């Protein structure tokens, strides 16, 4: 938790001294809780904010078969604010191999032929990695997807 009144340390000290002085003057006038104290507490508590966080899990799976639009798994993330979370693949080791649902985080194979060609081709790709950027409000984090391919003989 942190408080930000937009004041530096010296200004904040004078701010508090001013209101404490006003408070004691009011107490001397009447032995009731002053409106100034209420206002001071309202300002202080209204300016305090809970630090928000966005946490995400990495995802890893091994697949033995591939098909177009095959669901591989789900990347999950949560925002402490309770706001909605959005997902987007920002990079992947095998272009056009994977796609992610921007709302649910569900990972799917885009094209089985792209994966099969890379698996059986000259490069013999055995692992696909991707970076997912996850956002919620102004918060951003990343998650790593690792798909191990065990498709058998070509």
């Amino acid at each position: 938790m942190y408080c930000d009144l937009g004041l530096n340390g010296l200004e904040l000290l004078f701010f508090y001294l001013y209101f404490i002085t006003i408070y004691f003057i009011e107490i001397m006038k009447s032995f009731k809780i002053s409106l100034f104290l209420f206002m001071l507490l309202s300002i202080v508590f209204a300016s305090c904010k809970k630090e928000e966080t966005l946490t995400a899990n990495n995802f890893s799976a091994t697949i033995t078969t591939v098909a177009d639009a095959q669901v591989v798994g789900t990347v999950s993330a949560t925002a402490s604010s309770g706001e909605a979370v959005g997902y987007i693949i920002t990079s992947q080791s095998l272009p056009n191999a994977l796609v992610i649902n921007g709302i649910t985080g569900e990972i799917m194979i885009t094209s089985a032929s792209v994966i099969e060609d890379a698996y059986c081709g000259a490069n013999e790709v055995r692992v696909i990695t991707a970076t997912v950027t996850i956002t919620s409000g102004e918060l951003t984090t990343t998650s790593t997807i690792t798909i191990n391919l065990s498709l058998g003989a070509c």
Side-chain angles (χ1 to χ4, degrees), residues 57-114:
N57 297 325
N58 292 329
F59 176 81
S60 180
T62 299
I63 57 174
T64 56
T65 60
V66 291
D68 290 346
Q70 174 183 339
V71 175
V72 178
T74 303
V75 173
S76 62
T78 53
S80 62
S81 65
E83 287 188 43
V85 176
Y87 305 87
I88 187 169
I89 293 178
T90 50
S91 68
Q92 54 185 306
S93 61
L94 183 59
N96 302 316
L98 303 173
V99 66
I100 193 164
N101 182 308
I103 297 170
T104 65
E106 186 176 69
I107 307 158
M108 293 181 289
I109 293 173
T110 305
S111 170
S113 63
V114 167

Side-chain angles (χ1 to χ4, degrees), residues 22-135:
I22 295 295
Y23 173 70
F24 282 118
I25 290 171
E26 289 297 315
I27 286 251
M28 297 306 262
K29 289 181 180 177
S30 68
F31 293 98
K32 296 179 182 178
I33 296 177
S34 73
L35 178 60
F36 291 106
L37 177 62
F38 176 74
M39 289 172 50
L40 173 65
L41 292 174
S42 297
I43 291 169
V44 170
F45 287 119
S47 65
C48 293
K49 302 172 187 172
K50 183 178 178 187
E51 190 170 340
E52 296 179 7
T53 59
L54 177 61
T55 56
N57 297 325
N58 292 329
F59 176 81
S60 180
T62 299
I63 57 174
T64 56
T65 60
V66 291
D68 290 346
Q70 174 183 339
V71 175
V72 178
T74 303
V75 173
S76 62
T78 53
S80 62
S81 65
E83 287 188 43
V85 176
Y87 305 87
I88 187 169
I89 293 178
T90 50
S91 68
Q92 54 185 306
S93 61
L94 183 59
N96 302 316
L98 303 173
V99 66
I100 193 164
N101 182 308
I103 297 170
T104 65
E106 186 176 69
I107 307 158
M108 293 181 289
I109 293 173
T110 305
S111 170
S113 63
V114 167
I115 294 173
E116 289 166 345
D117 291 348
Y119 185 83
C120 294
N123 294 331
E124 295 185 350
V125 173
R126 297 296 184 256
V127 177
I128 301 170
T129 58
T131 301
V132 177
T133 299
I134 303 160
T135 58

